[in-house]
């Protein structure tokens, strides 16, 4: 748990300093179950792609891969750029058309 908290803090600090297009970046963890929800909101696809580039360049993507097992990635709105759509496919993300009301 401590390693995940440390990683989340470092990624958040790095993003705050280098990703002005990030509107929200939150981690929620349950130490008892080991489950983590990672919630991110970007101003647009360009900001999202910049975040992905930063994660790789800073080595964070590798650390995340070592510490966490991905259950699901969900994009709440469809990509607007082909690069984002391609990335979503590479990471196995589910993509919603639009989010409104309650999603089950």
């Amino acid at each position: 748990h401590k390693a995940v908290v440390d990683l989340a803090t470092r990624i958040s600090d790095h993003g705050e300093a280098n990703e002005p297009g990030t509107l929200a970046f939150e981690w929620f963890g349950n130490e008892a179950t080991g489950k983590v929800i990672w919630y991110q909101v970007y101003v647009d696809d360009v900001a999202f792609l910049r975040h992905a580039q930063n994660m790789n360049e800073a080595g964070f993507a590798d650390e995340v891969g070592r510490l966490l097992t991905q259950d699901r990635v969900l994009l709440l709105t469809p990509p607007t750029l082909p690069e984002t759509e391609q990335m979503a496919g590479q990471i196995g993300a589910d993509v919603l058309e639009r989010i409104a009301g309650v999603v089950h």
Side-chain angles (χ1 to χ4, degrees), residues 38 40 72-77 91-96 99 103:
W38 188 347
Q40 305 169 98
R72 183 173 189 195
V73 175
L74 180 62
L75 300 183
L76 300 179
T77 58
I91 62 173
D94 295 320
V95 180
L96 298 180
I99 187 168
V103 176

Side-chain angles (χ1 to χ4, degrees), residues 1-13 25-32 34-36 60 63-64 67-68:
H1 180 75
K2 181 173 177 357
V4 172
V5 171
D6 176 63
L7 176 60
T9 301
R10 289 184 292 119
I11 291 173
S12 295
D13 291 348
F25 187 89
E26 301 290 337
W27 292 59
F28 304 94
N30 183 322
E31 189 172 1
K35 296 281 185 176
V36 175
F60 294 134
E63 282 188 76
V64 168
L67 289 174
L68 302 171

Side-chain angles (χ1 to χ4, degrees), residues 15-80:
E16 190 172 321
N18 297 291
E19 299 175 13
T22 302
L23 301 176
F25 187 89
E26 301 290 337
W27 292 59
F28 304 94
N30 183 322
E31 189 172 1
T33 65
K35 296 281 185 176
V36 175
I37 296 173
W38 188 347
Y39 175 77
Q40 305 169 98
V41 180
Y42 299 95
V43 69
D44 57 20
D45 281 27
V46 173
F48 171 71
L49 292 169
R50 181 66 189 138
H51 167 72
Q53 182 180 1
N54 280 342
M55 288 285 288
N56 285 313
E57 288 175 356
F60 294 134
D62 290 337
E63 282 188 76
V64 168
R66 284 191 302 272
L67 289 174
L68 302 171
T69 300
Q70 175 182 305
D71 287 336
R72 183 173 189 195
V73 175
L74 180 62
L75 300 183
L76 300 179
T77 58
T80 59

